[in-house]
Amino acid sequence: MCCFNLTYMQGNLGFMFSVNESLAFTHLDTKPLQLQTLKPIASSEGVWCFTYGSNMMVVLWNPSIKISVGIFVPSFLNQPDSPKMVIGFGVRPDTLDPTILKINYPYYGQGPWYVSVYTLSTRRWENLENDHLPHETIRIKRSGQAVVGGKIFWVGSKKFVYNDGNSYKQYMIVSFDLVSHQFQVQDIPELIRFIVPPPFYISQLRNSLVMSGSFLAEEYRILCTWVLEFDGGIVSSCTVLFTIPFLIEHVVKLIGFTKDEEPIVESKSNQHSANSLQVYNKTSQQFQNIGIEANGGSFFIGP
């Protein structure tokens, strides 16, 4: 039984496998997709979303029925198509309509958001009105998103400048409702911000939102992960899911979970040029190397 799908890059080659509960790999036929040209953005309700080129096209792919569709991303004259463009994806929970977001704001400094929404049922892009958008000083971290409870979640930040010219960032949770097409911004729980410095990462465990980060503790670093609970769309509580110590010379990033909720991490060490995929056994408190090495940052897991 398939537990999740995994894609990664080795050099200039792209691979995708289905992984079962025993962590056995089965190669997936992804034709006619050219995985080496695609960047995975998100997976929602079994549908995968990739970008092609410099965000010029979005490709949606359903591996269970092996059907894909390419959607050109429009360039609007009044919108800054900068490197800060964010592509978001989620499947609307009530109609199962795949939905794509194109978010633009200026690369440097502050400036207004421009957001366009594409739904597969209508096959067209529509621009959102300003009253649907977050404050223009907020920026989204593009390293990950999660789709939970009919909303897309990202880590966001807002930059503040002191009178002496020094600056700092305040981090937050930014969400987009796939039904109402409204954004919402709220603080990351104080407990998380108190324990873990940025960067923060967002992911999901089944139908729960997960946040993770790491901090230094003598000769080790500690990876901490919390499950966030919501009440009326607002974070009501956060509970520690696990803590993992690892050697200080390693970099460990949470990218998913096994069927038994064991964390799957991407690990980088100074001794290896490629990153490895590992599973952490919470009972034995040991990492198990799955035996795959890939380009850094290319591992992506979709349930």
Side-chain angles (χ1 to χ4, degrees), residues 5-278:
N5 291 328
L6 167 72
T7 185
Y8 57 88
M9 293 282 295
Q10 285 182 341
N12 295 320
L13 299 177
F15 299 89
M16 180 174 281
F17 293 88
S18 65
V19 184
N20 68 15
E21 299 173 5
S22 303
L23 299 180
F25 289 68
T26 302
H27 183 266
L28 277 176
D29 180 10
T30 57
K31 294 178 181 179
L33 299 182
Q34 301 294 322
L35 289 177
Q36 67 273 16
T37 66
L38 301 175
K39 177 183 177 182
I41 297 297
S43 173
S44 176
E45 299 293 340
V47 179
W48 283 60
C49 175
F50 302 88
T51 56
Y52 171 79
S54 55
N55 292 336
M56 62 179 294
M57 177 182 283
V58 170
V59 177
L60 302 183
W61 182 59
N62 189 330
S64 64
I65 57 176
K66 294 182 172 56
I67 290 180
S68 62
V69 58
I71 299 134
F72 282 102
V73 178
S75 178
F76 299 105
L77 293 178
N78 67 330
Q79 298 182 11
D81 283 337
S82 72
K84 286 293 187 180
M85 181 193 299
V86 177
I87 298 293
F89 172 74
V91 173
R92 178 170 167 159
D94 53 350
T95 62
L96 297 182
D97 195 5
T99 302
I100 303 165
L101 271 75
K102 172 181 182 276
I103 303 171
N104 291 98
Y105 34 64
Y107 188 42
Y108 295 105
Q110 300 179 2
W113 283 45
Y114 299 92
V115 179
S116 303
V117 179
Y118 178 96
T119 55
L120 196 59
S121 62
T122 63
R123 302 263 177 164
R124 67 173 182 265
W125 292 89
E126 293 185 356
N127 296 332
L128 292 187
E129 299 296 331
N130 290 338
D131 60 353
H132 283 59
L133 308 181
H135 194 273
E136 65 179 34
T137 57
I138 294 173
R139 296 293 181 259
I140 286 178
K141 185 178 178 67
R142 293 179 294 168
S143 61
Q145 67 154 73
V147 184
V148 176
K151 294 182 179 182
I152 306 174
F153 290 89
W154 303 268
V155 173
S157 66
K158 184 176 181 180
K159 186 176 181 180
F160 294 87
V161 179
Y162 293 111
N163 293 333
D164 61 4
N166 291 321
S167 63
Y168 74 98
K169 286 184 177 180
Q170 176 183 331
Y171 290 85
M172 58 204 66
I173 299 170
V174 180
S175 61
F176 176 80
D177 192 305
L178 289 162
V179 177
S180 67
H181 290 183
Q182 291 276 359
F183 282 90
Q184 187 175 22
V185 177
Q186 54 189 302
D187 291 337
I188 292 174
E190 186 176 357
L191 174 63
I192 298 177
R193 290 185 284 114
F194 179 76
I195 294 177
V196 176
F200 304 98
Y201 296 97
I202 205 159
S203 54
Q204 64 192 90
L205 173 59
R206 295 188 175 88
N207 295 318
S208 297
L209 189 68
V210 173
M211 291 202 73
S212 60
S214 63
F215 67 92
L216 184 62
E218 299 181 352
E219 71 271 24
Y220 289 94
R221 292 193 67 85
I222 308 294
L223 175 66
C224 295
T225 302
W226 291 265
V227 174
L228 275 56
E229 301 295 337
F230 291 82
D231 185 9
I234 303 297
V235 176
S236 57
S237 67
C238 62
T239 305
V240 174
L241 185 61
F242 57 79
T243 58
I244 301 176
F246 59 93
L247 296 177
I248 194 170
E249 62 266 23
H250 288 223
V251 177
V252 172
K253 178 185 175 183
L254 177 70
I255 61 169
F257 297 89
T258 68
K259 181 179 181 296
D260 297 325
E261 301 186 5
E262 302 282 19
I264 305 170
V265 302
E266 177 180 346
S267 176
K268 175 178 175 56
S269 69
N270 297 331
Q271 290 76 31
H272 297 87
S273 58
N275 292 10
S276 63
L277 193 67
Q278 306 200 27

